[in-house]
Amino acid sequence: MKISPIFRQKKAVWSFEIFPPKPTADPSAVHNTIAELSALRPDYISVTCSAGGSGNARTGEIASMVKSFGVEPLAHVTCINSDLASVRSALADLKKRGVENVLALRGDRLPDREDSKDFAHASDLVNFIRTEGYDFDIAGACYPEGHPEAKSLLEDIRNLKKKTDAGVSHLNTQLFFDNEDFYRFRDMLSLAGIDIPVQAGVMPLVKKGHVDRIISLSGAKIPAKISRMISRFYDKPEALMEAGIAYAVDQIVDLLSAGAQGIHLYVMNNSYVAKRITESVQGILNELNGAENADRP
């Protein structure tokens, strides 16, 4: 099943993101997580590329596991450290496994790896997938505060237009903590002629490890409300968990109230957090999506 029709059927799409275990770990380690997330009946679950710099190696394996639970996977495919042959192989593997949706990404540059001679940008990957004739729905990533390597948000949106024109069906945003950044970004996309669905990416900050790592890697702006929460509860794990869930729920309610076309929840393989947040907004999602979807987000 392709994801793009879901955006025409629903006013608010609901999805989770998970990551594969490390290359040396048993993939069954995420089995229970996928089972618990699938029981929440998301519209899809995206699967990131493998940890440890192994690229697209295990994504298909975990995507197949997601599909076995009756949920559509969105498989990440990166290209910055890949040549044509390896990308072609990764796409063929996904096709063989029955995966119909991919998220086309440039990927992170690695200090010990040379950049690809075949792919410089995600738009190159999108073009490759389309010209090679793969029948995938292709999603893309976007950055409400601008890509860290872009000179400006305006330049980033110009580059995003190239990617969407190449054949992207919907966009998932990078995490952000200030909804006003998302609303400004959404208006700028409209002015740029980008009219495909945009899902807002929300990351619940529920562990101090997330606070340290995610904020430093994402470069996301930290509103005063988040700063106070971190300062107050950083060394109080239970309180930080509750505060992080509460902030994410508040953020999601505001986004849905303002007409966000979907929420993509970065749950860091934590099904407990996903369950708590889903249950908190379930009634709103059901109301937005109509009685025919009242038994699911």
Side-chain angles (χ1 to χ4, degrees):
M1 176 183 173
K2 292 185 176 178
I3 291 170
S4 57
I6 302 174
F7 286 95
R8 296 191 290 271
Q9 298 162 5
K10 291 187 169 187
K11 290 183 178 179
V13 172
W14 185 254
S15 58
F16 305 130
E17 180 164 300
I18 62 171
F19 54 85
K22 293 180 180 180
T24 55
D26 186 341
S28 65
V30 297
H31 183 274
N32 288 344
T33 298
I34 294 171
E36 290 163 358
L37 292 176
S38 299
L40 299 174
R41 305 196 68 188
D43 291 303
Y44 68 89
I45 295 175
S46 78
V47 183
T48 72
C49 292
S50 304
S54 56
N56 304 311
R58 302 194 77 170
T59 305
E61 185 179 9
I62 305 305
S64 288
M65 197 179 294
V66 171
K67 201 169 180 69
S68 73
F69 282 95
V71 177
E72 196 58 41
L74 173 67
H76 292 209
V77 179
T78 61
C79 63
I80 192 61
N81 301 122
S82 303
D83 57 19
L84 292 173
S86 60
V87 169
R88 192 177 281 119
S89 175
L91 294 170
D93 178 64
L94 293 173
K95 202 69 182 174
K96 180 181 176 182
R97 295 176 185 273
V99 176
E100 298 182 69
N101 304 278
V102 297
L103 178 64
L105 301 162
R106 188 200 70 178
D108 297 327
R109 288 193 166 94
L110 301 174
D112 59 340
R113 300 273 292 275
E114 288 187 10
D115 286 359
S116 172
K117 294 180 173 61
D118 298 315
F119 303 98
H121 307 287
S123 56
D124 299 328
L125 177 57
V126 176
N127 274 313
F128 176 76
I129 296 170
R130 290 297 185 211
T131 56
E132 288 283 303
Y134 291 102
D135 187 26
F136 290 112
D137 250 18
I138 307 174
C142 59
Y143 297 77
E145 299 174 62
H147 192 283
E149 296 178 20
K151 294 178 181 177
S152 67
L153 180 55
L154 187 59
E155 179 190 72
D156 190 37
I157 289 175
R158 290 195 188 104
N159 292 331
L160 183 61
K161 183 71 163 64
K162 294 177 184 176
K163 184 162 60 177
T164 57
D165 286 348
V168 167
S169 60
H170 90 269
L171 295 168
N172 284 348
T173 79
Q174 172 63 285
L175 64 94
F176 59 91
F177 300 108
D178 187 340
N179 286 357
E180 294 305 318
D181 290 325
F182 175 79
Y183 303 143
R184 177 188 60 172
F185 180 69
R186 187 173 60 178
D187 290 343
M188 292 178 73
L189 294 188
S190 180
L191 290 172
I194 299 174
D195 60 357
I196 60 176
V198 181
Q199 266 187 281
V202 174
M203 163 72 80
L205 291 178
V206 295
K207 294 183 179 180
K208 67 180 184 179
H210 298 170
V211 171
D212 296 334
R213 187 168 185 272
I214 299 303
I215 290 177
S216 63
L217 288 178
S218 71
K221 182 175 71 183
I222 307 303
K225 192 174 179 180
I226 283 275
S227 294
R228 288 192 295 269
M229 182 185 86
I230 293 170
S231 177
R232 180 70 170 170
F233 304 122
Y234 184 77
D235 288 317
K236 299 176 177 65
E238 292 183 7
L240 182 60
M241 173 71 73
E242 293 301 316
I245 289 172
Y247 188 92
V249 169
D250 182 65
Q251 188 180 4
I252 290 166
V253 170
D254 184 65
L255 287 163
L256 294 175
S257 300
Q261 293 160 294
I263 304 295
H264 189 58
L265 203 60
Y266 297 104
V267 297
M268 301 297 288
N269 290 22
N270 191 322
S271 56
Y272 171 77
V273 171
K275 186 173 188 292
R276 287 280 305 277
I277 293 175
T278 301
E279 289 175 347
S280 294
V281 300
Q282 181 89 63
I284 296 171
L285 290 168
N286 289 342
E287 182 66 28
L288 287 171
N289 291 327
E292 68 275 14
N293 296 305
D295 64 335
R296 63 180 296 168

